[in-house]
Amino acid sequence: MQKPKGTRDLGPESMEVRKKVEEVMRDRCEGWGFREVDTPTFEHLELFTLKSGEEIIDEIYAFRDKSERELALRPEVTASVMRFYSDELRARPKPLKLYYFSNCFRYEQPQKGRYREFWQFGTETIGGDCSKTSAETIALACEILDSFGLEYDLHIGYLGVARGVLESEGVVGEDQDRLMSLIDKGDVDAIIDFLDGLSVSSDCRGVLVELIDLVGEGRDTVSQALDVLESYGFGEEGGFGLDNLSETLSYLESYGDVDYTLDLGIARGLEYYTGTVFEIYVPGLGAQNQVCGGGEYSIPQLMGENQFSTGFAFGFDRVVEAIKHQEIDLDIGPRLMAYIIPVSDEFRDEAVQILGRMRGSFPADIDLTGRGIGDQISHADSIGVRFAVIIGEREVENGTLSLKDMESGDQVELGIDEAVNKIMEEYESL
Ligand code: AMP
């Protein structure tokens, strides 16, 4: 039987790589003061339509359970974490730094890097000063990718400007959200058509089209954006918070050398984003090259008024794909350090005792077939064992073990302690 469209079976080799990637991500998050949370795989459908509207139903797995409750498999985790925050975590000291690693489900057309079941690894920081929190969030996302030695492009945007210009022209609510989603798609014609329909001023139209096209390296681009705003007569509003963006960038620079492109055309798909946003792309991954997206957002219905949070979500599968594409060696090492080979069933008792001792210190396994020694050694080789440990009459009599190094092919007979220690040293050096 075939698996459902857009899902994957993950074999042992894939899982070894994924576990290593997960371990590095967890380690970095914990090292930066984040603590893990988990939320249900399915939620009330309303949680996702709350801010993203009814249209989202076409893009997600929505269903009724046997009691006619309207539910949905989570398409992302932010809304769930905010629900959790609202239900139980509100009283915790802020900023509250949380992270998650969860499978997500979207009813999309599957293609390379786009699945119907995929995993997100993400953080949410609730509370804190927006600029400082945004800088910390972006710096952590970069640190995680740097720990793998990945090459990537970081793009930072600021939604406050477009939202501010629209607000000053009375474009609010759903119209504003609709425009932000058109900006996100980069569809300039559709943006102009929509603005014309709203009969905004020609300056509003001009400034938006020019701003979303503004892309440049470093902080100078913020000054250029301010000039654009001024030239259309929108300069007096403090650049609609562009000074916050400058502040975020200067905090970000104190984390070290971070290369970024400022791109005011980034709007992010979901409507709850409010201020600084960012996306990270890995060149060479094809159409689905965005490995991370994040920014500052607010969901007043769940978080309360004037409560902001900043987070990111890595497309975990795409990070794994990027590591493979850039041929990065994760140094996973052999899975099994020792494979015990009793020469015959006569020595099985001694063999299992040695196995028990080894299993206390490193991964070890034993033959379960009773086949001949030659076949057992080829099996050990085929499953990538580091040492084959042979136990026969001579070894039992001498209190020794014969250790076959499966990399070099060399075989030595060592005292039991010595043999166990040798394997353990090798294991610890991995
Ligand atoms: P989003 O919640 O849409 O901002 O997505 C966050 C990240 O999840 C994106 O940057 C992608 O890397 C990843 N992602 C989103 N949708 C999919 C999908 N269908 N399959 C695999 N990864 C995805």
Side-chain angles (χ1 to χ4, degrees):
M1 199 194 288
Q2 290 207 332
K3 55 190 177 302
K5 189 171 169 182
T7 63
R8 285 156 300 158
D9 291 317
L10 299 163
E13 294 76 19
S14 303
M15 284 309 291
E16 268 158 21
V17 172
R18 292 170 72 92
K19 273 193 286 188
K20 184 81 187 187
V21 173
E22 181 189 335
E23 186 186 303
V24 170
M25 289 186 174
R26 276 181 199 285
D27 176 75
R28 293 295 70 223
C29 283
E30 305 254 346
W32 283 47
F34 287 80
R35 297 173 74 193
E36 187 170 7
V37 288
D38 202 5
T39 59
T41 307
F42 56 90
E43 295 272 3
H44 290 292
L45 173 62
E46 195 193 352
L47 179 68
F48 305 114
T49 51
L50 192 74
K51 197 69 181 118
S52 309
E54 298 287 315
E55 309 91 79
I56 198 172
I57 297 177
D58 293 340
E59 293 158 30
I60 66 181
Y61 281 85
F63 58 97
R64 281 177 197 274
D65 73 2
K66 289 176 181 152
S67 300
E68 295 294 309
R69 294 182 192 92
E70 292 202 307
L71 301 170
L73 298 182
R74 60 181 166 214
E76 46 102 26
V77 193
T78 298
S80 301
V81 175
M82 290 311 125
R83 181 200 43 71
F84 184 22
Y85 166 76
S86 152
D87 290 348
E88 291 179 52
L89 307 175
R90 246 175 219 265
R92 300 231 175 185
K94 286 182 207 53
L96 183 58
K97 298 172 88 177
L98 308 172
Y99 79 93
Y100 57 81
F101 178 49
S102 310
N103 53 348
C104 299
F105 307 83
R106 295 187 191 175
Y107 197 74
E108 338 209 42
Q109 224 22 65
Q111 52 177 274
K112 187 173 174 281
R114 175 179 282 180
Y115 310 100
R116 290 188 167 179
E117 182 187 21
F118 62 100
W119 274 257
Q120 286 193 342
F121 189 106
T123 66
E124 313 290 352
T125 302
I126 305 159
D129 166 77
C130 290
S131 307
K132 294 186 180 73
T133 309
S134 291
E136 167 105 342
T137 303
I138 299 172
L140 172 58
C142 294
E143 157 121 347
I144 287 176
L145 295 178
D146 290 341
S147 345
F148 297 115
L150 271 169
E151 277 176 35
Y152 58 88
D153 297 323
L154 165 65
H155 286 223
I156 300 178
Y158 190 76
L159 296 193
V161 197
R163 287 202 188 274
V165 168
L166 289 168
E167 222 136 272
S168 71
E169 294 264 327
V171 182
V172 291
E174 274 180 26
D175 284 342
Q176 193 186 101
D177 287 344
R178 172 89 189 109
L179 258 166
M180 296 311 287
S181 114
L182 292 176
I183 293 176
D184 188 50
K185 293 195 177 88
D187 190 342
V188 177
D189 291 339
I191 295 168
I192 293 175
D193 282 351
F194 196 80
L195 285 173
D196 285 348
L198 295 174
S199 51
V200 295
S201 70
S202 63
D203 276 348
C204 171
R205 206 174 64 177
V207 79
L208 281 177
V209 170
E210 216 168 301
L211 279 176
I212 61 181
D213 210 29
L214 195 64
V215 178
E217 306 287 313
R219 259 196 283 167
D220 288 349
T221 318
V222 181
S223 319
Q224 286 174 33
L226 281 169
D227 291 345
V228 172
L229 281 170
E230 212 146 291
S231 68
Y232 283 93
F234 288 93
E236 290 139 41
E237 313 275 340
F240 300 106
L242 268 179
D243 35 357
N244 282 340
L245 176 61
S246 274
E247 202 174 68
T248 300
L249 297 175
S250 100
Y251 287 136
L252 180 62
E253 281 156 22
S254 52
Y255 283 83
D257 247 347
V258 185
D259 287 334
Y260 59 85
T261 301
L262 204 76
D263 179 349
L264 292 176
I266 299 182
R268 313 275 309 124
L270 294 172
E271 279 110 20
Y272 46 66
Y273 288 96
T274 49
T276 301
V277 285
F278 66 100
E279 294 183 341
I280 303 179
Y281 310 95
V282 168
L285 281 194
Q288 307 307 318
N289 64 348
Q290 189 194 313
V291 297
C292 183
E296 178 202 301
Y297 60 87
S298 150
I299 313 179
Q301 298 95 318
L302 292 177
M303 299 156 64
E305 290 298 327
N306 297 321
Q307 183 65 270
F308 291 88
S309 178
T310 307
F312 65 67
F314 275 113
F316 183 82
D317 311 271
R318 293 189 191 167
V319 174
V320 171
E321 190 55 40
I323 287 170
K324 199 162 122 199
H325 181 77
Q326 294 188 10
E327 295 177 357
I328 289 169
D329 183 7
L330 289 180
D331 203 13
I332 288 172
R335 188 173 59 87
L336 267 184
M337 291 304 293
Y339 191 77
I340 316 278
I341 299 178
V343 171
S344 76
D345 276 348
E346 212 183 310
F347 310 105
R348 194 151 194 97
D349 188 31
E350 285 85 353
V352 171
Q353 284 176 34
I354 297 289
L355 173 70
R357 184 170 161 191
M358 289 185 173
R359 279 181 171 163
S361 306
F362 45 78
D365 205 357
I366 190 166
D367 172 71
L368 295 175
T369 63
R371 58 188 153 201
I373 176 169
D375 287 343
Q376 291 194 45
I377 291 185
S378 356
H379 179 70
D381 190 36
S382 70
I383 58 172
V385 172
R386 184 67 188 84
F387 292 99
V389 180
I390 303 153
I391 305 181
E393 191 171 0
R394 196 183 63 233
E395 287 83 3
V396 170
E397 257 171 32
N398 297 346
T400 57
L401 297 171
S402 289
L403 223 61
K404 185 172 173 66
D405 184 323
M406 300 301 284
E407 276 173 15
S408 65
D410 296 343
Q411 187 168 324
V412 283
E413 191 176 334
L414 300 172
I416 295 178
D417 286 347
E418 212 182 335
V420 173
N421 286 340
K422 183 176 161 70
I423 304 176
M424 192 141 78
E425 270 166 32
E426 177 93 14
Y427 180 57
E428 280 168 356
S429 73
L430 287 179

